[in-house]
Amino acid sequence: MTAEAPIARIYIQHKTRSLDHPFDYKIPERLAGGVDAGSVVLVPLGRQKALGIVAGLVWDSELPQSKLVDIVEPIDYPPVPPRLIELALWVSDYYYCSPATALGLVLPPGGLPSLVRETVDGQAAYRLKDPSVKPRRVQFARLASDAGPGGASDTAPGAASDAAPGRISAPRQRVLEVLGRDGDLPLAELCRRAQVSLSPAKTLARQGLLEIYEGEVRREGQHYYGEPEASVNELADPLELNPGQQRALDTITGRLRTNDMAERRRPILLEGVAGAGKTEIYLRAIEAAAASGRGAIVLVPEISLTHQAVKRFRRRFGDGIGILHSGLSLGERYDEYMRIRSGKARIVIGPRSALFAPMPDLGLIVVDEENDGSFKQENDPRYDARRVALERARLEGAVLVYGSATPSLESYHRVTDRFTLRERATGASMPAVEIIDMRQEKDPIFSRRLAAELDRNLAAGGKTIMLLNSRGYARFLQCGHCGHVWECSNCEVSLTIHSRTGRLLCHHCGYGEDMPDICPGCKSTDLRRWGVGTERLEDEVRRRFPEAPVFRLDADTSRGYGAGPRILEEFGRAAGGILLGTQMVAKGHHFPEVTLAAVINADLSLQFPEFRAEEQTFALLTQLSGRSGRAEKSGRVVIQTWNADIECIKMAASQAVDEFYTSELERRRRLGYPPFTHLVNILCMSRQSDKSGKAAEFLKQKLTPAATGGEQILGPAGLFRLKGWSRSHILVKTGSVERTLAAFKPVLEHYREPYAARGVRIVVDVDPQWLS
C-alpha cells in the first residue's frame, strides 16, 4: 500500500532473536527530515524496544499505514553510509548469512551501543549503555592569543613579574619555542618535544602565556608503525615506468576518467613477477584518483604486510592514510574509522575487513596479492573480499585492480583486462632456482647445497629468507614401542610439539597438554618426534650459524600487539641475517638485501586433499622466489623437496607461469571445479558424532528435488572432527550461486531451526577456499 509519507525500512539488531527480514515503521512528523538511510533508531518490537538500522526510505508497504508503528527516536550514533548498507545486504544474500551479521561488517568498531531495559515506577524503560569505545580526550596546549611568536615578547596582563622576557627559565622558554614552531599540541607531546616535565607548562599557563584545553586525540599506535624510513623501502620514490607499467597505468587512469560505468566497473588484473613495479602503478593510480577528489582502498592479505605498505604510502602521501585491521586496539580502530568517514584519511590500507571502510567518494580499490586465500573469511559471515570488492566497485562506480605475481585461477580465467609484467622494474634479473631432491641427502633439514649457499650468503653480508610452512618443533609425537600418536581431544588431528613451552598444541582449536614422559598405553619412554616445524628449524639454524642474526615469523611469534611488524623491522635493519617462518615470510615483503631464498619442504602443502593444493604450492614457491635478488645483487633460490618430479614444483622453479595455468585450468575443467563452476559447501555439524552424517544424508534428499538448475550435488562425506564438532558436508557444483541459493533457501530455512533444536548446525559456505 502506498503511504502518504516515506516509510523507514529497518533491520533490527537483536542479540537474542534471529531477524532475517526488515520491518517497516512510520516516521512521525516530529522526526520528519531527521531519519534517513543509514540512521540508527530506537523502535518498538512487540512489547520491547530495540535498535535498528534504516536501510532506506520507501513509499510502499505490505501493511496499511494505520498498522505501522512509529519510530521512537533516532540515536546519536554515526550513520552508516547507504552504499555500505546495500553492500552488507548483498553479502547477506550471496553468502547466506543473516542481515544482522552482515551489517556488523559496516558498523563502526564496537558495534551498536547496548540497550538496557529498566523498570521505572513500575513501567519498562530503556536507556543506552555507554559505548564500549569513544573518542579519546586529552589536554592540549596552545600559545595564549596575546603571546608573541616565541611566547616571551608580550607578557600577558597581570602575569607575575618573573614572566618578563629576560626572566623566563630555559625549560619554559623551550616550551614556548616548541608551541611557536609546531602549533597546538597535546600537553604530553609538548613536554616530550621540549624535554621538560609538566611543571614548566603549567607555570606558563598560570602566567597566561599558554592555554590548556581539552580536545580529541587520535590513538595512532605510532610505536607500531613508526615513521617512514628510506632504508625500508627504497623503491617508494617515483620511478620512471617501463612500457608495460605505463600501459597498465594508462588503462587504470582512463577508467577513472570515463563516464561509461560499464567500462569503469570492469576489473583489471596486473599479473607481474615479484619486483615488477605493481606498487608503483598502484601509487600513481591513487594519485590520479586523488586528483579527481576520490579516495582509494588498498587490500593486503596479511596484517604483517600492512606495515611496509603504510610506510611506503606515507612517504608518497603523508599522513592521509587510514589503517584498519584487527591488530589495532578497539580505540585505534574507532579513531581510524572516524578519520576515514570524515574524509581526513583518503587512502585506506589493511586486510579484508578494510574493504568495508566508510570511504566517501571511493574511486579505486586495489586487491594486492589477490591469489591469497586469507581474503576468504572462514567464519560467519564467510565472505571473500575479492568477490565483495567487485560488488563494492559496482555500487560505488569505482575502478577495481587485482594484482599478483600468481593470480588466482578464477581471476586469471575470468578477468579479461589483464596486463602481464614479466620484468622487474629495477632491471634486476630473476633469481636462479635450484631443486634439491632430499631423498639423496642425509640431513632432513639442510641439504649440502643449502648449507653451502647459507655459508656463502652470510659471508658476503647478504640476507636469507627460509620458508617452512609448519609451525612448532615437530609435527607429532609417537610412541616408538606401540605406535600411539597424541591427538587433540576436540579435533581428529595430531598435536604439534612446541618445545619452548614444553607443550603439545592443536593448531585448530588451541587445546594443549604438557609434554609426556611415558606412553599412557604401554608405559614406554621411547617417544619419538616426527616432522620439522619452524621452532626446530630456528634451533638448527642458530646451532649451525651462531654468529648470524636469526628472526622467526609465524603465528606463534607474531601473536602479540605489533609483534609481526617489529620482527620485520628488526630483520630489515640487521646487517645480514636469516628470516625464517611459515608462509608469512613469502608474501609481499621488499628487502633489497635478500639474495637467498630457501624452501625446506616444498611438497608439504601437497599433502592436503584439496583441489587447490597445486595452485597454492605453485603460488607459494613463486612468491618466495620473488623475495630474492630484488636489487643490484643477483638472487638465488633453493627448493628442497622429497619428490623432485612434481610438476607444479618444477614449473614454479622454471617460472613457467603460463604453462602452469594452462595445465591447471584444463585439470579443473575436466574435474568440474572453479573457475568453471561455483561451489557451495553445506556442512551439518553436531557435538554428537552420529548426528551430523544422518542429518546431511536427510538434507541431501530434501535438496535434490530443488536442484532444477543443473546443480550437481555430491556427498554427503564425513570430515575430521574440528573443535569438538563432528562434521559432514554436501558439496554442490553450480553455474550460478544466486540461482542455487534461491532454490535451496526454502529447504534450508525450513530445517535450520528444527535441526538446531536437535543439536545440529547447518553452515553454508559459498565459494569455499578449502573443503576440509
Side-chain angles (χ1 to χ4, degrees), residues 269 370-371 384 386 402 407-416 418 611-612 615 661 665 668 673-679 767-769:
L269 174 61
E370 72 81 36
N371 63 286
D384 190 318
R386 295 164 292 194
Y402 296 122
S408 65
L409 260 74
E410 286 85 344
S411 292
Y412 185 89
H413 179 69
R414 294 171 182 165
V415 178
T416 56
R418 188 167 76 235
F611 74 94
R612 298 186 196 272
E615 178 186 0
Y661 281 108
L665 282 171
R668 297 276 187 91
Y673 279 108
F676 303 102
T677 60
H678 288 277
L679 300 181
D767 295 332
Q769 185 69 23

Side-chain angles (χ1 to χ4, degrees), residues 167-496:
R167 300 184 60 184
I168 291 182
S169 65
R172 285 181 243 164
Q173 185 66 41
R174 288 202 301 274
V175 170
L176 295 172
E177 289 172 355
V178 169
L179 281 179
R181 182 189 69 213
D182 299 342
D184 293 19
L185 288 171
L187 191 56
E189 177 64 15
L190 169 64
C191 294
R192 186 188 70 82
R193 295 188 188 184
Q195 298 180 327
V196 300
S197 66
L198 284 173
S199 179
K202 290 186 175 181
T203 300
L204 289 169
R206 287 195 302 271
Q207 294 172 342
L209 292 178
L210 65 80
E211 298 173 358
I212 296 176
Y213 64 97
E214 194 175 78
E216 292 184 8
V217 65
R218 175 188 178 194
R219 287 161 283 210
E220 197 171 12
Q222 280 294 334
H223 62 287
Y224 178 72
Y225 288 102
E227 296 298 328
E229 296 177 12
S231 62
V232 175
N233 267 316
E234 63 183 23
L235 297 183
D237 293 326
L239 299 171
E240 182 178 350
L241 300 185
N242 61 39
Q245 290 174 296
Q246 190 64 55
R247 284 192 296 271
L249 179 63
D250 289 345
T251 299
I252 297 169
T253 55
R255 295 279 173 85
L256 286 167
R257 290 191 300 267
T258 185
N259 292 322
D260 185 340
M261 288 296 104
E263 181 182 0
R264 184 185 293 178
R265 290 166 177 157
R266 287 206 318 269
I268 294 169
L269 174 61
L270 300 184
E271 181 202 341
V273 298
K278 296 185 291 295
T279 301
E280 182 62 33
I281 297 174
Y282 303 156
L283 290 166
R284 298 201 186 195
I286 290 170
E287 288 174 343
S292 62
R294 308 192 74 185
I297 293 176
V298 179
L299 300 185
V300 295
E302 299 273 4
I303 291 176
S304 62
L305 293 179
T306 308
H307 179 62
Q308 283 196 359
V310 168
K311 287 200 166 188
R312 175 177 284 190
F313 278 64
R314 276 185 174 173
R315 288 192 64 202
R316 188 70 64 89
F317 299 109
D319 289 331
I321 309 291
I323 306 146
L324 282 178
H325 59 69
S326 59
L328 302 175
S329 69
L330 187 60
E332 287 172 340
R333 293 204 303 273
Y334 180 85
D335 290 349
E336 292 300 281
Y337 180 96
M338 298 307 292
R339 288 181 66 244
I340 296 162
R341 186 177 176 277
S342 68
K344 292 180 181 178
R346 301 296 292 151
I347 304 166
V348 177
I349 301 174
R352 58 179 180 261
S353 60
L355 179 60
F356 301 98
M359 172 67 71
D361 299 318
L362 179 62
L364 179 68
I365 301 174
V366 173
V367 184
D368 195 26
E369 308 289 356
E370 72 81 36
N371 63 286
D372 201 287
S374 60
F375 284 117
K376 179 70 162 71
Q377 181 154 299
E378 296 301 327
N379 58 310
D380 205 25
R382 298 169 184 260
Y383 69 91
D384 190 318
R386 295 164 292 194
R387 176 65 183 88
V388 181
L390 186 63
E391 186 64 19
R392 183 160 192 193
R394 185 189 70 81
L395 291 171
E396 303 272 6
V399 176
L400 173 60
V401 178
Y402 296 122
S404 178
T406 54
S408 65
L409 260 74
E410 286 85 344
S411 292
Y412 185 89
H413 179 69
R414 294 171 182 165
V415 178
T416 56
D417 297 330
R418 188 167 76 235
F419 293 87
T420 302
L421 308 172
R422 288 283 185 254
E423 297 179 356
R424 285 178 158 172
T426 60
S429 60
M430 295 302 292
V433 183
E434 185 174 358
I435 297 177
I436 305 298
D437 189 342
M438 294 301 290
R439 292 172 295 185
Q440 310 300 321
E441 301 290 331
K442 294 180 179 180
D443 190 320
I445 300 178
F446 290 98
S447 64
R448 289 162 293 177
R449 181 63 172 173
L450 176 56
E453 287 290 349
L454 280 166
D455 278 327
R456 171 186 166 192
N457 204 48
L458 289 170
K463 293 182 179 179
T464 301
I465 294 180
M466 301 178 69
L467 167 68
L468 174 58
N469 206 19
S470 179
R471 290 162 51 201
Y473 188 86
R475 297 183 66 189
F476 64 93
L477 183 69
Q478 185 177 38
C479 174
H481 180 70
C482 71
H484 172 75
V485 174
W486 275 256
E487 293 186 343
C488 176
S489 60
N490 301 315
C491 312
E492 292 175 338
V493 297
S494 58
L495 295 172
T496 301

